[in-house]
Amino acid sequence: MNKRSFIKALALLGFSTGSIINTKAKTISINDLDFSSPDIWEQMRAAYKLKPDYINLENGYYCFLPEETLEKYIQHLRDVNYHASSYMRTVQWENKAKSAAKVAELVGASPEEVVLTRNTTESIDLIISGYPWNKGDEAIVSNQDYGSLLNMFELAERRYGIKVKKIDIPMHPKNDEEIVSVYEQAITPKTKLMMVPHIVNITGHILPVRKIADMAHTHGVEIMLDGAHAVGHFDFNISELNCDYYGSSLHKWLSVPLGCGMLYVKKGKSQKIKPLLAPYQLDQQTLLNLNHTGTHPVSTDLAVIDAIDFLNKMGIKRKEERLRYIQKYWSDQVRDLPGVIVNTPLEAHRSCGIANVGLEKVSPGDMAKTLMDKYQIYTVGINGSGGVFGCRISPNVYTSENEMDKFIEALKEMSGNT
């Protein structure tokens, strides 16, 4: 079978898009939703198969797929399985490139600046491990950064003899300049690279990353952004952030199947990074030189386009507004309660769907356990990481005000504010 015939066969086997209605699960396609209706978000719930056992407020780890994307993903699995090696030896790489280009378009990058990885950790570790370090070079990170990424910097310290300096991000900053200043004060003539969270994973704090990047570049320091929770969560254009490197997990807020991330490297910078794994062809002059994946679940690559199509039909700005609304809906009602500590800034532009809340007299672990056991609300406790004590609360577009009312009442009871 030649390539043209093969691609035609894939289309006949279900690689084309279309409306899916799963009547058995009582879910509907996003094409059937009326976004002009006042009850649009109640309609949106019908696009997901929701587990009735508990209220899921832990979408930060993994945003499970709406049924429409899931059914298309399952069809991709069937199609790849049906064609087997013939798929892997013909259109695998072309389709992966199409998916990466779709992600690049979504985030406002050029196709040659983006590749697909397995997750944020892999994306950023590729940069840390391959950076042209010299003994004595310095890097700047924060205590609120993701633990695995901090571990990779510790490995770099051991391997290359660099020094990693940690700063504390102000949890409730007075202004952007306070945050920028904390990073700037850590810079020395030996500083080469700075890792900054676009959004802090444990608190939902969105940082003024453009201002931080502009400042860093005036000192000759490159900036790498951890955007694990950013893509598909809120609207931004990566070319406007002025960053050099960017990693994200697409199985979080974009709702791609598990095991998919992206790496962005600003055009012209990939050749300075040494590949962690030898690619099929050595010394490629593109970002693919860093992107050796071996044999991997290519069905996930195909589902990236389906997930982006779903998001585009919803509208990223509409999604951002809903996520910010539902977060502010609950956090504003408990922020001033005695015994309740909200670890996320008050200003609307400094957060979106994620926030963190703690109780003065209850440990985060006990808080999460009580929420689940007594109130059937699932979340995750953050016990001191980066100085944060509380539960990360991450609703999604299918989350209702009624569900958040139950969470608010649970917090009031647990803190003695009833």
Side-chain angles (χ1 to χ4, degrees):
M1 181 182 292
N2 62 35
K3 187 173 180 180
R4 181 176 297 177
S5 299
F6 184 76
I7 294 173
K8 183 178 180 181
L10 290 182
L12 292 173
L13 284 167
F15 274 72
S16 59
T17 58
S19 175
I20 294 178
I21 301 179
N22 187 336
T23 54
K24 183 178 180 181
K26 296 183 180 179
T27 58
I28 64 174
S29 166
I30 195 168
N31 292 328
D32 300 317
L33 303 184
D34 179 7
F35 284 97
S36 65
S37 173
D39 68 346
I40 177 56
W41 300 110
E42 186 63 31
Q43 293 181 46
M44 183 64 71
R45 289 175 65 83
Y48 293 80
K49 186 177 181 180
L50 302 177
K51 195 172 177 65
D53 307 68
Y54 53 80
I55 297 171
N56 181 14
L57 297 185
E58 173 40 356
N59 289 278
Y61 192 116
Y62 167 47
C63 292
F64 66 91
L65 282 58
E67 287 294 293
E68 178 174 344
T69 306
L70 177 60
E71 291 300 323
K72 291 177 180 179
Y73 173 53
I74 292 171
Q75 187 59 50
H76 294 321
L77 284 168
R78 294 184 184 279
D79 292 338
V80 171
N81 185 69
Y82 180 70
H83 286 278
S85 295
S86 61
Y87 179 88
M88 302 298 286
R89 291 188 179 278
T90 54
V91 296
Q92 174 194 176
W93 306 112
E94 179 182 334
N95 284 341
K96 188 180 185 73
K98 289 179 180 177
S99 294
K102 191 78 170 179
V103 173
E105 180 184 11
L106 175 68
V107 300
S110 300
E112 63 269 23
E113 295 176 312
V114 172
V115 290
L116 298 183
T117 62
R118 290 178 296 177
N119 46 60
T120 306
T121 301
E122 179 179 282
S123 298
I124 291 181
D125 282 1
L126 288 172
I127 305 302
I128 300 171
S129 64
Y131 201 79
W133 301 111
N134 292 310
K135 187 175 182 180
D137 285 346
E138 294 181 358
I140 297 172
V141 300
S142 85
N143 285 310
Q144 290 185 11
D145 280 316
Y146 189 57
S148 293
L149 301 180
L150 294 178
N151 287 344
M152 192 64 194
F153 268 106
E154 184 174 339
L155 278 180
E157 282 186 305
R158 299 177 186 179
R159 289 175 177 172
Y160 309 116
I162 68 171
K163 180 180 179 181
V164 179
K165 301 174 71 172
K166 295 181 180 179
I167 60 97
D168 289 311
I169 299 171
M171 203 172 301
H172 299 282
K174 298 176 182 178
N175 49 48
D176 291 347
E177 287 64 38
E178 181 181 355
I179 302 171
V180 175
S181 177
V182 169
Y183 278 100
E184 186 169 27
Q185 289 173 20
I187 293 176
T188 75
K190 295 182 179 181
T191 307
K192 302 299 181 183
L193 180 66
M194 178 185 296
M195 181 174 73
V196 178
H198 192 174
I199 171 173
V200 179
N201 79 94
I202 51 179
T203 65
H205 186 176
I206 299 173
L207 301 191
V209 291
R210 175 58 191 259
K211 292 182 179 180
I212 298 173
D214 289 348
M215 174 276 296
H217 288 153
T218 64
H219 293 279
V221 176
E222 291 193 307
I223 185 166
M224 176 170 63
L225 298 181
D226 171 9
H229 291 268
V231 176
H233 186 168
F234 51 88
D235 187 32
F236 70 94
N237 188 310
I238 207 166
S239 65
E240 297 176 355
L241 302 182
N242 198 20
C243 65
D244 302 289
Y245 313 99
Y246 193 106
S248 187
S249 291
L250 306 184
H251 53 241
K252 292 186 183 294
W253 297 93
L254 188 55
S255 290
V256 172
L258 278 168
C260 191
M262 62 151 277
L263 169 64
Y264 162 90
V265 176
K266 192 172 184 178
K267 189 174 181 179
K269 291 184 175 289
S270 66
Q271 293 308 298
K272 71 183 293 182
I273 308 298
K274 300 175 183 177
L276 177 63
L277 301 174
Y280 287 121
Q281 177 185 340
L282 290 174
D283 303 321
Q284 298 179 68
Q285 299 302 304
T286 70
L287 185 51
L288 293 176
N289 200 49
L290 307 179
N291 192 219
H292 178 76
T293 55
T295 305
H296 65 285
V298 295
S299 303
T300 300
D301 298 341
L302 295 166
V304 168
I305 293 177
D306 301 318
I308 293 175
D309 286 344
F310 188 92
L311 174 65
N312 286 340
K313 290 172 185 175
M314 185 191 315
I316 182 60
K317 291 184 179 180
R318 182 185 287 117
K319 181 178 182 179
E320 175 183 346
E321 290 173 359
R322 176 61 181 181
L323 290 174
R324 181 172 286 112
Y325 164 78
I326 206 72
Q327 184 261 118
K328 296 290 288 181
Y329 178 85
W330 74 262
S331 63
D332 284 352
Q333 293 189 60
V334 304
R335 191 175 289 271
D336 296 325
L337 292 178
V340 176
I341 305 168
V342 177
N343 297 307
T344 302
L346 173 64
E347 300 94 330
H349 71 281
R350 296 196 189 278
S351 63
C352 192
I354 302 174
N356 185 294
V357 62
L359 300 175
E360 288 183 354
K361 298 181 179 180
V362 183
S363 72
D366 288 343
M367 179 181 174
K369 188 176 187 305
T370 301
L371 283 169
M372 184 63 179
D373 293 348
K374 184 176 180 179
Y375 301 99
Q376 291 73 57
I377 298 173
Y378 183 67
T379 185
V380 59
I382 307 297
N383 192 23
S385 176
V388 177
F389 294 87
C391 286
R392 182 178 70 184
I393 310 302
S394 49
N396 208 330
V397 291
Y398 59 75
T399 308
S400 67
E401 287 93 335
N402 181 57
E403 289 175 321
M404 298 317 300
D405 285 339
K406 293 178 181 179
F407 175 62
I408 292 167
E409 287 305 310
L411 287 182
K412 289 181 177 179
E413 287 185 14
M414 294 171 69
S415 61
N417 285 288
T418 54

